[in-house]
Amino acid sequence: MLLPRLLPASLLLGLTTLAACQSQTATTTSAAPTAAADLTPEAQATTPAEAISAATIGRYLQAVSSDEMLGRKPFTTGEERSTQYLADEFKRLGLQPGPEGSYFQPVPLVEITGTPAPTLQIKGKGPALSFQYKTDFVSFTQREQPQVSVSNSPLVFAGYGVVAPEYGWDDYRGLDVKGKTVVVLVNDPGNAGQDTTLFKGKAMTYYGRWTYKYEEAARHGAAGVLIVHDTKPAAYPWSVVLSGAISPKLRAQTTNKGADKCALEGWLTLDAAKKLFQAAGQSYEQLYAAANTKGFRPRPLGGLTLSGSIRNQLRRQTSRNVQAVLPGTTRPGEYIIYSAHWDHFGVGKAIAGDSIYNGAVDDGTGLAALLSIAEAFQKAPQKPERSIVFLAVTAEEQGLLGSAYYAQHPPYPLNKTVADLNMDMLWPYGQMKDLTVIGYGQSELEDYARAAAREQDRYILPDQQPETGMFYRSDHFNFAHVGVPSLYASGGFEGRTRGKDYIAQQRQNYTTNMYHKPADQFDPSWDLSGIAQDAQLYFRVGQRLAAETTFPQWRAGSEFKGARDKSMGGR
């Protein structure tokens, strides 16, 4: 694909005209505020509508998702261009750099480009199995070594690979997996609706995340761990696993160079797993049923062993988060963070003649909202009393690495951080009636969101697919993990003019045909007024938080409340 010059003036003018035509003013309601988080008339009056509009969103969105950004992949020219663009925009808007005097926070990472052996060899008493790379399995490693291998590693089935004392669950109970390869199911017990009394029922817990399963297997000393892919509980097709696995993988640099990780991590297709279980004298259906039963005991897989290897190329380099701050007028030492991730997948395998993975929706939309909100705060006649931090993080697509680094090396104290308001994948399908809150029930930030939604004549909706574990799949999770109350919400269920079915069709089309593919690129026909609507709502939530002296709390029973209580004890 030819790379055009970045946003010529004529193109910007045309985009602005188009987006302005799409823009609609959110309907307001005269319903009386009922919560402490309701917006004051003063806050409402300081909302410069022209700063957050479809036109503004479109200008920023087309810039960050243009071909010249080369898919915004860390360690590439695309990173240099996109992060410099963001820093330049923050500077243009008059925002100050971070506490070290820079708009960039260095994030040391290692890029591991692994080339697995073409096959995984499975041996036992019967005929040997030979699983083919990409067709039957994918594998990778976090060990920073030129080559890793497992040889004749005994295979064991450990259910979901979960150790959760609070649920009375231990899939590794009585099982010694040192030197062995563990096979586990995707997601967590109960999520598929077999027994809604297990864990949180259909709502995925952190134990359902694939990253957790690798960590738990490593804690038990396993040589390898393979997750069985099943599209429904995984919430994404095999093509998504494949696209993420065959590209170079970024990891956080560690002092032991990944020596405490499993030598081999990966996925099996469901068909390959069924063949494996059959060779062990068992069926997938039997093992699945057993794994979803209280009292499950792990078991060897019929004397089967696995052999496989990976050759690695290593590249250590520093990526960067982009940060800027608007200092508060009266309490500059207290911070509200707006976050979005700047990275995507760069230039990769061509699909339909296009090799640039632009990431327009994922997460160009979040970046466009981030910049629009920054512009709105600068244009507001009344500046915020608390400081507002605008943070674009790296390597979200590689495992939330940039936000994890920020959370472990915070430029601003966590116990002085009021909240994180995260934006990821906003939908370009027009204004919405709903505001869907991912992880609903976690914190008082939902009260602030409800008040802002009421002003737009919208209703709050809990996540309609909690089994997909979206609360653990974007950058707000790393803030929640260290105790900072976090909000991750957007409209995406019921369109204001086209209803629910249209939105469902558009989202399904995106998931099937665009998600993590070159097709996720800017489309001039998109109706960006809904993204502007969400950005306006987030802006108003931030205004309210900035005007208060209190801190929003996690709700009783939230797994993140303990970390916050501990952090705030040192204030």
Side-chain angles (χ1 to χ4, degrees), residues 17 27 45 49 109 146 182 211 292 311 337 368 372 375 389 412 418 423 431 472 498 504 520 539-540 554 561:
T17 302
T27 304
L109 302 173
V182 180
T211 50
N292 281 279
R311 289 185 292 106
I337 297 175
S372 296
E375 188 171 331
V389 177
Y412 307 100
V418 178
M423 296 163 287
Q431 290 198 18
Y472 310 100
R498 297 190 181 185
D520 185 5
F539 171 73
R540 292 175 183 269
W554 293 105
K561 187 176 186 298

Side-chain angles (χ1 to χ4, degrees), residues 29-35 38 454:
T29 177
S30 57
T34 59
D38 286 330
R454 183 187 302 116

